[in-house]
Amino acid sequence: MLDRNDRHAVLKRPPRIVLYQEKHVRKNRISCVAIGAFCLPLCAFGQGAAGSSETAFDNEPFFQRIEALAHDAADGAEALQEHWPIRAPAREMRSNTVSYVGGGAPLVPGIDVRASEIRVRRTDPSHVVVANMQLSAPCISLDTVRARYPSAIVTGSPHNGSPDAYGTWSIFGPDGEIAFGFSYVNPKCVGRVTLVPGASPPA
């Protein structure tokens, strides 16, 4: 059996994540029609909107690293922090959670983490509530995400033109949710990844 270090060593094995079967996801799929006007910016993502264009780049290490981190997040905070790209995050106390924040570290060759957060329960620090990272990377398009994960669904839409507004496409599996965020200002390329252990597709 591979240990955790083996899972993260260059990650040449096939993707570990097992998605829900399409028949389970189809009934939960959120279409642009269902979301309405709020989805209009998101429907244009990856469809020639303004922003960086995708260049020749090996995306496989990126996706495999994200899948491995999602598995670690499901295992608990200690497992996730062991392989999180930010080695010495600052600790921030909140009312019900504790956040570990930081940035400026490589994720895989060619992709860096600009900022990140691991949020755990204050009453149970072993439980990861959510983990996210903002990326500095060559363009990874929505088409690329959907080609790898055909069952990806819309789980969020930007409601304004703020640089912090993101639309999200998510996949769900035994390790929870992996959400790929596309910012309003650069909707063609993945700018953020969020991990939510234990999450299920929306009803």
Side-chain angles (χ1 to χ4, degrees), residues 130-149:
V130 65
N132 66 70
M133 59 180 72
Q134 295 180 1
L135 305 176
S136 175
C139 185
I140 301 171
S141 70
L142 173 59
D143 286 344
T144 299
V145 172
R146 297 185 71 186
R148 185 177 180 88
Y149 308 113

Side-chain angles (χ1 to χ4, degrees), residues 24-172:
H24 295 303
V25 176
R26 188 181 298 115
K27 67 179 181 179
N28 294 313
R29 189 175 300 279
I30 303 176
S31 67
C32 291
V33 174
I35 292 178
F38 289 120
C39 188
L40 291 178
L42 189 58
C43 292
F45 284 12
Q47 304 298 324
S52 302
S53 60
E54 189 168 25
T55 58
F57 180 76
D58 183 7
N59 298 308
E60 188 65 17
F62 165 72
F63 287 119
Q64 290 191 358
R65 183 72 191 277
I66 294 301
E67 291 164 6
L69 288 172
H71 181 64
D72 290 334
D75 281 348
E78 183 177 353
L80 180 59
Q81 289 174 330
E82 182 179 348
H83 296 113
W84 197 246
I86 312 304
R87 303 310 303 167
R91 190 165 178 259
E92 295 183 355
M93 302 294 292
R94 304 175 187 272
S95 58
N96 297 313
T97 61
V98 178
S99 290
Y100 297 90
V101 299
L107 179 66
V108 295
I111 298 180
D112 294 331
V113 177
R114 293 193 295 107
S116 75
E117 176 190 17
I118 297 175
R119 192 180 307 166
V120 301
R121 286 180 181 169
R122 192 165 184 171
T123 56
D124 181 9
S126 67
H127 179 88
V128 177
V129 176
V130 65
N132 66 70
M133 59 180 72
Q134 295 180 1
L135 305 176
S136 175
C139 185
I140 301 171
S141 70
L142 173 59
D143 286 344
T144 299
V145 172
R146 297 185 71 186
R148 185 177 180 88
Y149 308 113
S151 58
I153 61 172
V154 178
T155 51
S157 178
H159 295 277
N160 56 57
S162 165
D164 296 326
Y166 282 82
T168 53
W169 286 74
S170 298
I171 59 172
F172 296 86

